[in-house]
Amino acid sequence: MRVIVIGGFLGSGKTSTIIRLGTELSAQGKKVAIIVNEIGEIGVDGDVISKYGLDTTELTSGCICCSLKVNMKITISMLMKEFQPDILLIEPTGIAFPQVIKNEIYLMDLKGTVVAPLVTLIDGSRFKQLLKEVKHFSMRQIIDAEILVINKVDLMEPLQIPIIETSVQQLNPKASVIQLSTKLQDEHWHNFVRLVLEEDTAEKISGELRTVTPELLAMEGEQLVDESMDSVEASGISSYATEFIVDGGNILPNVARTIVQETMRLVKSRVMEHSPEFVGHIKMFLENDNETVKMNVTAHYEEPSMELISSKSRVPRFKILSAVSNIDKMTLIDIVDSSVVEAFALKGINVRKKDDRHGIKFI
């Protein structure tokens, strides 16, 4: 089994990359399993990934590299025994230290397992804003990586791409730096797949753990985040994930889309009253009859994007995750809860919060 850890800050494109990589490898006849780690008790990405026909095990309740080490080992052992995947893709939460996760996999001493070089995705379209809002945390993720992927190049000005390439290569001279857009079928995508699958770029479990030396951390006087710290706390990000039960049965498709758009508008505008230049990830989906409406935004200046996914649900359900910079958590909770209730109420629909779920969810 080949283990590929794909990390990166919130909204860097991890889920889209994993969906495309997993789908492509499955089409080639490989058995692919995915572990998704999300913030909080309510998972969002695992549900979305499962709609693409990929087998997902979703870990919630915090950061995989701190509070879920035991559950991760149990989950991987179970997948190896019962599913026997050729490829295991691990998507950490965007406020994790992926290098710690990779080291934990080494320490599990899993026989017949090869670990691919550690991948960190960088949202090139937000690079400047990330270094402004979460500078030290972002630099920590960049320095730990073995493959640095400048993602979303389709959203960038062409002249900016080589500038950012040079910047991240200076931060981590030992890493391979590549460009990527999951929307494009080009040489960059094929290069990415080759790098994460190529046998001679992998390290076997019995190999040495990769360590970051004090010299590597001495970034001209910059004080970087210590990976021994709790990564959620170190990120400076407040997060809140919750699920709502929708009363009254399935909703007309155009009404469902309008509700999601209004919820996003309310949450984003109210967050910006407290954190005008936020970065992070606000994402939500309304699963309804034959269609799931997904919407997300990753920075204050972005227009939210909507995606429609085919699905079947006997009863509608609404999930939302908000993880943003420079805002108090209780304020964020109040914004999210009130915005969801208000958006549904505008269409005469009542919603109520579902009781929190704990532990591991198997999909």
Side-chain angles (χ1 to χ4, degrees):
M1 182 177 73
R2 188 176 189 82
V3 180
I4 304 172
V5 180
I6 299 180
F9 189 68
L10 297 162
S12 60
K14 297 185 297 297
T15 301
S16 297
T17 302
I18 281 179
I19 287 173
R20 179 170 176 184
L21 181 60
T23 302
E24 187 172 303
L25 295 175
S26 294
Q28 295 174 8
K30 297 185 183 296
K31 195 178 292 186
V32 180
I34 301 170
I35 292 179
V36 180
N37 173 223
E38 296 204 79
I39 309 163
E41 303 295 338
I42 303 298
V44 175
D45 286 337
D47 286 321
V48 174
I49 291 173
S50 66
K51 295 181 189 302
Y52 287 86
L54 301 172
D55 293 280
T56 307
T57 297
E58 187 174 288
L59 299 172
T60 57
S61 303
C63 170
I64 198 172
C65 62
C66 48
S67 63
L68 289 174
K69 290 177 181 177
V70 174
N71 284 351
M72 183 171 65
K73 181 174 182 177
I74 293 172
T75 301
I76 293 177
S77 298
M78 181 205 69
L79 286 171
M80 292 180 68
K81 180 179 179 180
E82 298 185 8
F83 189 63
Q84 298 179 337
D86 302 305
I87 305 289
L88 174 61
L89 302 174
I90 299 180
E91 178 191 344
T93 172
I95 48 178
F97 296 132
Q99 178 60 43
V100 179
I101 297 168
K102 182 177 177 181
N103 287 349
E104 282 299 317
I105 296 170
Y106 274 119
L107 295 173
M108 290 179 193
D109 193 27
L110 301 170
K111 304 302 181 184
T113 300
V114 174
V115 182
L118 178 63
V119 177
T120 292
L121 301 185
I122 302 168
D123 182 350
S125 66
R126 291 188 301 159
F127 185 69
K128 183 178 179 180
Q129 192 70 20
L130 289 172
L131 290 187
K132 179 180 179 181
E133 290 285 299
V134 285
K135 180 177 182 179
H136 302 312
F137 189 84
S138 295
M139 290 174 65
R140 168 83 266 169
Q141 289 187 329
I142 290 171
I143 287 172
D144 283 346
E146 292 158 292
I147 299 175
L148 282 166
V149 178
I150 300 173
N151 199 21
K152 305 184 184 181
V153 294
D154 55 304
L155 302 178
M156 299 172 62
E157 293 292 335
L159 291 176
Q160 291 296 315
I161 297 175
I163 295 174
I164 294 177
E165 277 187 313
T166 300
S167 297
V168 298
Q169 191 74 82
Q170 288 175 343
L171 288 171
N172 186 346
K174 295 184 178 181
S176 298
V177 179
I178 62 174
Q179 303 173 25
L180 192 68
S181 170
T182 55
K183 296 179 180 180
L184 302 177
Q185 183 75 23
D186 59 9
E187 71 276 8
H188 297 304
W189 174 259
H190 298 308
N191 187 34
F192 169 69
V193 175
R194 179 185 60 79
L195 282 174
V196 297
L197 293 182
E198 209 169 53
E199 289 301 325
D200 60 5
T201 64
E203 304 163 291
K204 291 191 176 180
I205 287 291
S206 58
E208 296 181 0
L209 300 182
R210 181 176 182 268
T211 58
V212 179
T213 65
E215 291 75 19
L216 188 57
L217 295 181
M219 303 301 299
E220 299 182 355
E222 293 287 356
Q223 181 62 46
L224 299 185
V225 174
D226 184 348
E227 67 180 24
S228 65
M229 297 173 61
D230 178 271
S231 64
V232 177
E233 181 180 354
S235 69
I237 298 291
S238 291
S239 63
Y240 175 54
T242 190
E243 180 176 350
F244 287 81
I245 295 173
V246 182
D247 293 335
N250 280 301
I251 308 167
L252 292 173
N254 62 322
V255 175
R257 297 172 195 178
T258 299
I259 289 171
V260 173
Q261 289 175 320
E262 180 63 13
T263 303
M264 177 62 80
R265 185 191 69 80
L266 290 171
V267 173
K268 183 186 175 188
S269 63
R270 290 168 179 175
V271 164
M272 288 180 63
E273 291 175 5
H274 299 271
S275 181
E277 297 186 338
F278 81 86
V279 293
H281 208 172
I282 303 170
K283 55 184 174 181
M284 60 191 72
F285 77 81
L286 175 54
E287 188 175 22
N288 178 54
D289 199 11
N290 294 320
E291 180 180 271
T292 293
V293 184
K294 178 188 175 187
M295 201 164 196
N296 76 96
V297 69
T298 64
H300 67 95
Y301 53 82
E302 281 185 354
E303 286 298 320
S305 62
M306 177 181 285
E307 181 181 0
L308 304 177
I309 307 169
S310 296
S311 66
K312 290 186 178 180
S313 178
R314 293 182 179 179
V315 294
R317 58 174 180 162
F318 182 85
K319 287 187 177 185
I320 180 169
L321 166 67
S322 294
V324 295
S325 60
N326 297 318
I327 190 171
D328 175 74
K329 181 167 184 175
M330 295 309 297
T331 300
L332 181 61
I333 291 173
D334 181 65
I335 287 172
V336 170
D337 287 349
S338 61
S339 298
V340 173
V341 172
E342 183 176 334
F344 276 89
L346 288 172
K347 294 297 182 180
I349 301 172
N350 294 321
V351 292
R352 48 198 168 86
K353 289 175 66 173
K354 185 176 180 180
D355 292 338
D356 288 346
R357 294 170 297 174
H358 299 271
I360 303 178
K361 175 187 175 187
F362 298 100
I363 300 178

